[in-house]
Amino acid sequence: MSPIMPNAPAVDSPEPALAVVDTSPSPVRDFLSKRGSGRIADNSFAAVMLVCACSIFAIVLFIFGILVLHSRPSLVQFGWKFFTRSAWDPVSGDFGALPFIFGTLATSLLALCMAVPLALGVAVFLTELCPRPLRAPISFLTELLAAIPSVVYGLWAVFVLVPLMRDPVGPFLVKTLGWTGLFSGPNFGVGLLTASIILAIMILPIISSLTRDIMTAVPNSQREAVLALGATRWEMIRIGVLRNSRIGIVGAIMLGLGRALGETMAVTMVIGNHADIGKSLFSPANTLASVIAGEFSEATSDIYLSALIEIGLALFLVTIVVNAIARLMVWAVTRGAPARVH
Amino acid sequence: MDFQTRSMRMNNSRRTATNYFVSGLSVLATILVIIPLVAILFYLVYKGASSLNLAFFTHAPAPVGEAGGGMANSIVGSGIILALASLMGIPIGIAAGVYLAEFGRGKPFATAVRFTADVLNGVPSIVMGISVFTLLVKGRHFSALAGGVALAIMMIPTITRTTEEMLATVPHAIREAALGLGVPKWRTAISVSLRTASPGIITGCMLAFARVAGETAPLLFTAFGNQFWSLKLNEPIAALPLQIYVYAISPYDEWHRLAWAGSLVLIVMIMVSVTLVRIFANRGVLKGGS
């Protein structure tokens, strides 16, 4: 029935068309008559959504609370010294996290040293230099690197990277850089350096794709202004793009650092799992994450388990701080006011 | 030629040289980055494809020392864990995203949620693993359910943020049209905003899914892995990434072979979903909906 249409074929009703509209149930009339119940539905819907949003807070608080609760035996027994002692003796129940803090910092910083210049190079290439048809495939390839699971990187590292480090790369480093003292001792193929390399490969796509986004956010007028002053392309990139996006780039690097600090599987598989502070980059070590992965299921005594959970707590707090700072920096560039030129 | 012109000309050639040098470095960096990717993919296909056979998809692992066997139980186990994680993570994640975009615009509380979600995204997965272990496993036993919870916690922040971003691209005029017709706000959020943004939200869910599909660390102490068939939710269950890890660090060649095959299957599964995501994303947010 479409009484609004003047030439409707259905003329079996003797009444005028307007009268039909007034009495027939219409969807709009339904909605209007049900507005009273709509308010209750609205409020309860908003409440359900609010509860789900709060669940994100709840998860963070829950992780923090449960880690503190279960690391209490270790917190009570070792106190703050837990983080400055290098003893790790499950048999006599004596624990200190210093070797793992060292391992985490050493591998993450080495990985950053390798990944940051390459990531910046890729980002500059993709935003400023790359011919347009190549842009999509290359950024797709680097994003694929980010999609490969950690355990597959580990598998590849165990069977390809470790033998490579053992034979051609290790001896070459000893010959050329042996005088630094960083490459002394036996080279098993596994150790700090191998772990750093696989970490670098893993954090590269994160840093480069974020940096690319940040550099794309720089307005083209900045580039044009610098070019108009007679700058070469590199000077344009340096003055017009990199300088404007430096806060965001530092944020992207810190996000990469956060990922490197917590990366578990690939590192566990190639770092050699040894609780010592070695002087050589070839020496086997352990990171905060890898010691949890490697020893958690063997932890029989309560104090052993709580020491490992306390390491987890430390890892949680450190990554939260690093990520928070990094997010604020990235937000400052991509969400806030346009970057200022100094 | 006076001194000034000459020095300018020298300066210019130095600047041009620097320009070419840095451009070259940038190209070199890109090539250096592509090499490991190609190497990893090459090894996966080369080693994995030669070890794949029908038994891999139909059999549970053979006992140590025996040839043959497969990872059928791990593939099914991963499917169960991921289904559990999606059932818990996707509704909560989308609902939180709807709150941020539809109800919380401009509120400081919403900014705090947004920030917490971003920070939670960066928390190492092993920490999720031990948290869920202490809550659900300690004193009881390893279970598929615990594995699902650990992965769901990892999915929520990603889904929340993409849902919010996708809803933010829905033009206000569409919402106003619905509200102007007297449609209640909840109905507008579900049938208008969510429906319009659905391709983008599906993209976000699949990205989160692909991300947790390869996670091993949160499952180590929750799902634990199982060499045998198990479909029960309250018992240890096999998972593909866990099995790859166990086989990769084992001393047996036969198991190494299976680890490569498992990795290839895992990567293909993840890549298929990522590619689907790109197809969805390229269709645009507004074209596919309603």
Side-chain angles (χ1 to χ4, degrees):
Chain A
M1 286 277 273
S2 54
I4 307 149
M5 289 173 68
N7 53 351
V11 281
D12 46 350
S13 159
E15 290 160 301
L18 265 177
V20 179
V21 172
D22 273 347
T23 50
S24 75
S26 81
V28 176
R29 195 172 293 278
D30 274 359
F31 274 124
L32 289 176
S33 64
K34 284 179 188 162
R35 278 186 77 184
S37 63
R39 177 167 299 167
I40 300 166
D42 262 359
N43 287 340
S44 46
F45 181 74
V48 170
M49 300 296 120
L50 181 64
V51 166
C52 288
C54 286
S55 73
I56 290 173
F57 281 131
I59 289 170
V60 172
L61 288 179
F62 146 75
I63 293 176
F64 180 70
I66 210 163
L67 290 179
V68 169
L69 191 71
H70 284 87
S71 60
R72 181 173 287 173
S74 158
L75 281 169
V76 170
Q77 188 168 342
F78 303 115
W80 287 109
K81 282 188 179 160
F82 183 74
F83 299 107
T84 55
R85 283 149 35 90
S86 56
W88 188 260
D89 188 355
V91 181
S92 60
D94 192 16
F95 297 103
L98 193 62
F100 314 124
I101 295 172
F102 166 78
T104 301
L105 288 180
T107 49
S108 304
L109 294 181
L110 259 177
L112 278 188
C113 289
M114 290 183 263
V116 167
L118 288 176
L120 288 185
V122 172
V124 166
F125 180 74
L126 284 176
T127 49
E128 313 293 335
L129 306 173
C130 186
R132 201 162 279 277
L134 273 179
R135 198 171 288 179
I138 291 181
S139 49
F140 178 62
L141 271 178
T142 48
E143 275 162 36
L144 264 189
L145 264 177
I148 295 177
S150 174
V151 69
V152 176
Y153 277 110
L155 180 75
W156 180 77
V158 165
F159 291 106
V160 181
L161 192 58
V162 168
L164 271 179
M165 293 301 292
R166 203 179 292 145
D167 191 17
V169 180
F172 173 76
L173 285 174
V174 171
K175 210 162 70 184
T176 53
L177 294 167
W179 50 269
T180 54
L182 288 173
F183 302 99
S184 56
N187 173 17
F188 306 107
V190 297
L192 282 174
L193 185 62
T194 316
S196 310
I197 293 175
I198 198 73
L199 266 184
I201 296 177
M202 295 177 72
I203 60 174
L204 232 162
I206 300 163
I207 302 179
S208 74
S209 65
L210 271 168
T211 309
R212 191 195 57 198
D213 290 349
I214 289 159
M215 286 167 67
T216 317
V218 173
N220 264 337
S221 55
Q222 295 281 351
R223 295 185 177 86
E224 285 155 11
V226 182
L227 283 177
L229 290 173
T232 62
R233 191 153 56 170
W234 160 240
E235 284 163 342
M236 179 271 282
I237 294 167
R238 187 165 56 86
I239 300 166
V241 181
L242 289 178
R243 191 171 290 180
N244 278 332
S245 49
R246 62 191 166 192
I247 296 175
I249 292 175
V250 172
I253 292 171
M254 291 201 62
L255 279 181
L257 176 65
R259 187 56 63 90
L261 291 173
E263 189 44 62
T264 313
M265 297 320 295
V267 172
T268 310
M269 290 161 89
V270 295
I271 200 167
N273 313 100
H274 190 73
D276 257 338
I277 302 181
K279 289 186 185 65
S280 157
L281 287 181
F282 290 144
S283 55
N286 240 340
T287 67
L288 292 170
S290 76
V291 72
I292 300 175
E295 301 187 11
F296 200 79
S297 48
E298 303 163 5
T300 41
S301 65
D302 268 358
I303 188 77
Y304 194 3
L305 196 65
S306 74
L308 285 170
I309 293 177
E310 188 176 348
I311 287 178
L313 177 66
L315 194 56
F316 176 68
L317 293 178
V318 167
T319 46
I320 281 215
V321 169
V322 169
N323 274 292
I325 297 172
R327 281 293 166 195
L328 286 176
M329 284 174 155
V330 174
W331 278 19
V333 175
T334 53
R335 298 281 167 95
R340 290 186 302 273
V341 187
H342 295 286
Chain B
M1 197 191 305
D2 66 299
F3 173 75
Q4 205 178 358
T5 325
R6 195 162 37 172
S7 74
M8 261 176 75
R9 196 165 287 176
M10 274 170 64
N11 195 17
N12 274 351
S13 61
R14 190 180 53 82
R15 288 169 58 207
T16 316
T18 315
N19 182 32
Y20 282 121
F21 178 67
V22 178
S23 306
L25 279 186
S26 168
V27 174
L28 187 71
T30 311
I31 294 169
L32 271 178
V33 169
I34 292 175
I35 287 174
L37 172 74
V38 173
I40 290 174
L41 292 181
F42 167 76
Y43 266 92
L44 269 180
V45 174
Y46 166 69
K47 294 255 194 178
S50 60
S51 333
L52 268 183
N53 50 27
L54 190 63
F56 181 88
F57 295 101
T58 54
H59 283 65
V64 179
E66 274 178 39
M71 287 194 180
N73 61 337
S74 308
I75 296 173
V76 174
S78 268
I80 292 176
I81 296 174
L82 287 170
L84 282 172
S86 305
L87 275 179
M88 290 181 272
I90 290 179
I92 295 180
I94 290 183
V98 168
Y99 174 80
L100 291 182
E102 303 285 321
F103 298 95
R105 285 227 174 131
K107 288 183 192 166
F109 174 76
T111 313
V113 170
R114 201 170 291 139
F115 188 69
T116 315
D118 275 353
V119 169
L120 183 62
N121 219 348
V123 170
S125 53
I126 186 105
V127 173
M128 313 287 185
I130 57 174
S131 311
V132 174
F133 169 87
T134 45
L135 180 76
L136 292 177
V137 178
K138 207 179 174 196
R140 276 163 258 178
H141 43 77
F142 300 108
S143 64
L145 189 65
V149 170
L151 294 189
I153 290 177
M154 301 196 61
M155 288 175 91
I156 290 174
T158 319
I159 295 178
T160 301
R161 296 291 281 131
T162 5
T163 304
E164 189 213 347
E165 268 161 31
M166 290 304 138
L167 286 176
T169 62
V170 175
H172 263 297
I174 300 185
R175 288 192 191 98
E176 280 158 12
L179 292 172
L181 287 171
V183 179
K185 207 170 177 193
W186 67 272
R187 193 68 199 272
T188 313
I190 290 178
S191 311
V192 178
S193 310
L194 269 182
R195 181 114 184 247
T196 314
S198 59
I201 292 171
I202 293 168
T203 301
C205 292
M206 288 187 68
L207 276 181
F209 184 87
R211 185 181 156 216
V212 299
E215 279 291 349
T216 317
L219 299 180
L220 279 173
F221 321 119
T222 50
F224 194 68
N226 195 334
Q227 288 283 28
F228 307 101
W229 275 102
S230 168
L231 301 176
K232 292 186 184 140
L233 297 188
N234 56 355
E235 276 179 16
I237 195 165
L240 202 47
L242 274 179
Q243 201 73 357
I244 294 169
Y245 173 61
V246 170
Y247 281 1
I249 60 172
S250 77
Y252 312 108
D253 278 346
E254 180 68 15
W255 282 11
H256 295 163
R257 190 183 66 80
L258 283 172
W260 282 108
S263 298
L264 181 63
V265 171
L266 186 61
I267 287 280
V268 166
M269 275 162 42
I270 291 174
M271 278 187 187
V272 164
S273 43
V274 170
T275 317
L276 285 180
V277 160
R278 285 187 80 82
I279 293 170
F280 264 119
N282 287 343
R283 269 170 58 190
V285 174
L286 292 173
K287 281 180 212 158
S290 57

